[in-house]
Amino acid sequence: MGFFDLALVSPHDPKVLHRNKTIQRASGATDILKSAKIYTTLEDALMDNSDNGSEEIICGTGMPVDMFQERPGRNYVEPRTFFEQLVNNNDDTTNHDRGNDDELVRRIAFIFGSEKTGMDESDMDKCHYMLGIPTNPKFGSLNLASAVQLIAYDWRMALGYYDTE
């Protein structure tokens, strides 16, 4: 899907990246697992993955309506629309570098919460934007793998990295 950096923050299983089950499910992306890093805190992950202090956009993901707890109101943006605007407007808040294939590379961090509870409020506060994947309002929950796949697909399509025909 075009993602190359993976950072896990305090996973339930600290050895998850080395488990046979994880490696089997990586399905051709074992290079990403090998270079993945585990961090104790989100702050450490964001600091270590920033491009030498250059500004990046931090996007959290979540449900606009939480079925389990009351959350203060947040402005959620629909990922596909947001990504298209970001790419088309050549937003000044992004760091533009040319990669080896001369494609435009943008520094962006996508933060996903845990499968069970999602992102907590303090992690949401670190985000410049909150992405809300449109779902059925009566049951807005997606499992983590589905949410990652949808965000990755929409970002890849906005960048135009791969032919679709």
Side-chain angles (χ1 to χ4, degrees), residues 9-15 114-116:
V9 177
S10 191
H12 293 291
D13 178 1
K15 297 181 181 181
S114 75
E115 179 88 35
K116 186 175 182 181

Side-chain angles (χ1 to χ4, degrees), residues 82-158:
F82 174 71
F83 297 154
E84 288 172 359
Q85 290 172 350
L86 189 65
V87 170
N88 292 335
N89 292 339
N90 210 9
D91 191 319
D92 290 336
T93 62
T94 58
N95 178 31
H96 306 288
D97 292 322
R98 293 282 173 179
N100 292 336
D101 58 1
D102 207 35
E103 293 286 346
L104 186 62
V105 176
R106 300 176 191 281
R107 295 290 304 171
I108 190 165
F110 295 107
I111 302 172
F112 297 88
S114 75
E115 179 88 35
K116 186 175 182 181
T117 59
M119 290 181 66
D120 65 35
E121 293 297 320
S122 65
D123 290 343
M124 288 181 186
D125 291 340
K126 293 172 182 62
C127 299
H128 299 115
Y129 301 94
M130 286 300 297
L131 304 175
I133 298 168
T135 58
N136 180 342
K138 293 181 180 178
F139 190 80
S141 179
L142 292 174
N143 70 32
L144 182 58
S146 295
V148 170
Q149 191 74 4
L150 288 168
I151 296 294
Y153 178 79
D154 282 351
W155 181 236
R156 180 195 85 167
M157 294 307 293

Side-chain angles (χ1 to χ4, degrees), residues 21-38:
K21 186 176 180 180
T22 304
I23 295 165
Q24 290 168 354
R25 289 184 177 172
S27 185
T30 54
D31 56 327
I32 294 172
L33 289 181
K34 289 177 184 174
S35 65
K37 296 179 183 177
I38 294 180

